[in-house]
């Protein structure tokens, strides 16, 4: 395999991110996102691209609270799996999290072994104190609802593992 680079996503990358995301949405592995939502969140994404500038992976960092962020929408194209692309994307998101002053990263995943190798560990339901929970429950974001393990998102989270890493 040739080399790849990881960089901040640009608006021009959104359609590629959306194309990579759709098969995972169809299989109910990742939450669907309308393309407009991806454009609104483009600054949260990093992308990996090959030497031909094709997008081969992506991931997003969503800030949830003053010390807590979530790794979201981590995707690597099949032909680039097991070539360090996912690891490089997570490392870039961790760097972004540190730059924002976050000290903990959350993920909800089927890829437990991958995230365990990155220093994440399975967690229970109570990751934030009751005052923060009361604020987070007001968020309209489906990912925050999944983090809080709210009943209306349970069908989306079946089989996923909640994991946390301290930076």
């Amino acid at each position: 395999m040739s080399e790849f680079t990881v960089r901040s996503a640009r608006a021009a990358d959104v359609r590629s991110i959306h194309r990579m995301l759709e098969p995972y949405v169809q299989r109910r592995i990742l939450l669907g996102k309308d393309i407009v939502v991806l454009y609104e969140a483009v600054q949260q994404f990093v992308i990996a691209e090959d030497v031909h500038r094709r997008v081969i992976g992506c991931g997003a960092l969503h800030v949830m609270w003053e010390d807590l962020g979530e790794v979201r929408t981590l995707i690597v194209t099949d032909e680039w799996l097991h070539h360090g692309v996912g690891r490089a994307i997570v490392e870039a998101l961790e760097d972004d999290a540190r730059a924002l002053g976050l000290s903990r990263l959350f993920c909800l995943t089927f890829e437990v072994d991958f995230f365990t190798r990155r220093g994440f560990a399975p967690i229970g339901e109570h990751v934030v104190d009751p005052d923060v929970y009361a604020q987070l429950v007001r968020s309209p974001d489906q990912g925050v609802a999944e983090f809080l393990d709210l009943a209306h998102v349970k069908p989306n989270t079946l089989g996923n593992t909640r994991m946390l890493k301290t930076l």
Side-chain angles (χ1 to χ4, degrees), residues 18 32-39:
H18 190 255
K33 291 182 174 59
D34 291 326
I35 198 160
V36 67
V37 173
L38 292 173
Y39 278 112

Side-chain angles (χ1 to χ4, degrees), residues 14-149:
V14 168
R15 291 196 184 276
S16 295
I17 293 168
H18 190 255
R19 275 192 299 277
M20 282 192 305
L21 177 60
E22 277 309 299
Y24 293 94
V25 172
Q26 299 301 320
R27 296 192 322 248
R28 304 191 125 191
I29 294 171
L30 292 174
L31 280 177
K33 291 182 174 59
D34 291 326
I35 198 160
V36 67
V37 173
L38 292 173
Y39 278 112
E40 290 172 343
V42 71
Q43 71 279 4
Q44 297 178 6
F45 279 85
V46 298
I47 60 112
E49 60 184 6
D50 67 13
V51 294
H52 305 291
R53 296 197 171 159
R54 289 183 295 233
V55 177
I56 59 169
C58 68
L61 172 66
H62 181 79
V63 175
M64 298 175 77
W65 201 249
E66 65 186 334
D67 66 333
L68 180 65
E70 179 184 9
V71 172
R72 299 185 164 178
T73 320
L74 180 61
I75 305 168
V76 175
T77 60
D78 289 343
E79 62 271 15
W80 281 90
L81 288 173
H82 310 294
H83 288 89
V85 176
R87 179 185 68 238
I89 290 169
V90 171
E91 288 172 356
L93 296 174
E94 289 176 358
D95 289 345
D96 291 349
R98 286 184 192 93
L100 290 168
L102 304 180
S103 58
R104 300 181 300 161
L105 281 180
F106 166 78
C107 69
L108 184 66
T109 186
F110 289 109
E111 301 297 332
V112 175
D113 292 340
F114 171 84
F115 279 99
T116 298
R117 289 191 304 273
R118 310 275 90 67
F120 287 75
I123 56 170
E125 295 178 18
H126 304 290
V127 180
V128 296
D129 66 46
D131 292 338
V132 173
Y133 182 96
Q135 294 297 319
L136 288 176
V137 79
R138 297 176 183 183
S139 174
D141 187 280
Q142 284 292 97
V144 173
E146 287 180 337
F147 168 75
L148 297 175
D149 205 24

